[in-house]
Amino acid sequence: VTAHFHALPGEADGVAFRLVSAADVRRSPRFDGGDAIEAATGRGVRPEAVGARPAETVETQPANTVVVAFAGLGNRGHVGYEWRGAAHRVLAADAGEAFDVVFVADPASSWYTGGRAARYRGDAALKRFLRTLRRRYAAVAFVGDSMGASAALRYAAFA
């Protein structure tokens, strides 16, 4: 299993996550390298801690709501961030209030438990991160499918 691990942007303590502003998700359905602003700006989180490029960071008004999008098992053993396209379609439709998105993945494919793989030690780190979201946003919502849905249920107390 460990031979297939790969690094994801924002990976720390075995948890891979990327916090992206509503404006950037609305701009593109893909991670195309063009995200100019991470949603953490102005919220007391170091931009580099969530994958931002500080030199390119510009000020923006953060959303009041954040959606945490937990990734599933991925395709052919390659875990990556999911739900960007769906979040883009919702935000592009301007159907309601804007929301920032945190894309979360388990690089160990351990159903967010760690299992035998030492690489995902992320339970404590992820709980710490989810607590910071609750302090910084008026509303926190979770979404996921398969392995990601189990994570959404596992961490529901932090929503």
Side-chain angles (χ1 to χ4, degrees):
V1 170
T2 57
H4 299 288
F5 285 155
H6 58 283
L8 291 166
E11 189 173 332
D13 294 326
V15 178
F17 56 88
R18 185 170 184 179
L19 180 56
V20 181
S21 72
D24 281 330
V25 174
R26 182 181 290 120
R27 180 190 59 75
S28 174
R30 291 178 293 285
F31 291 101
D32 57 7
D35 292 337
I37 178 74
E38 297 291 335
T41 303
R43 291 214 180 258
V45 176
R46 293 184 338 270
E48 60 274 13
V50 292
R53 299 172 304 279
E56 298 176 27
T57 300
V58 296
E59 284 298 320
T60 188
Q61 181 62 37
N64 291 322
T65 301
V66 64
V67 173
V68 180
F70 291 99
L73 282 171
N75 186 10
R76 298 181 186 215
H78 295 281
V79 174
Y81 300 128
E82 297 175 359
W83 297 94
R84 174 103 184 214
H88 167 76
R89 288 187 296 277
V90 170
L91 288 169
D94 286 325
E97 181 182 333
F99 53 89
D100 296 336
V101 184
V102 177
F103 298 95
V104 182
D106 172 2
S109 297
S110 69
W111 293 77
Y112 296 87
T113 65
R116 292 182 172 184
R119 176 141 181 230
Y120 182 81
R121 308 171 302 281
D123 192 53
L126 185 54
K127 286 178 180 177
R128 255 191 327 273
F129 181 68
L130 294 173
R131 277 189 210 100
T132 66
L133 295 178
R134 285 184 53 185
R135 289 192 299 266
R136 289 174 173 80
Y137 287 91
V140 179
F142 292 166
V143 65
D145 69 334
S146 185
M147 181 175 72
S150 71
L153 294 171
R154 177 182 176 93
Y155 297 106
F158 297 94

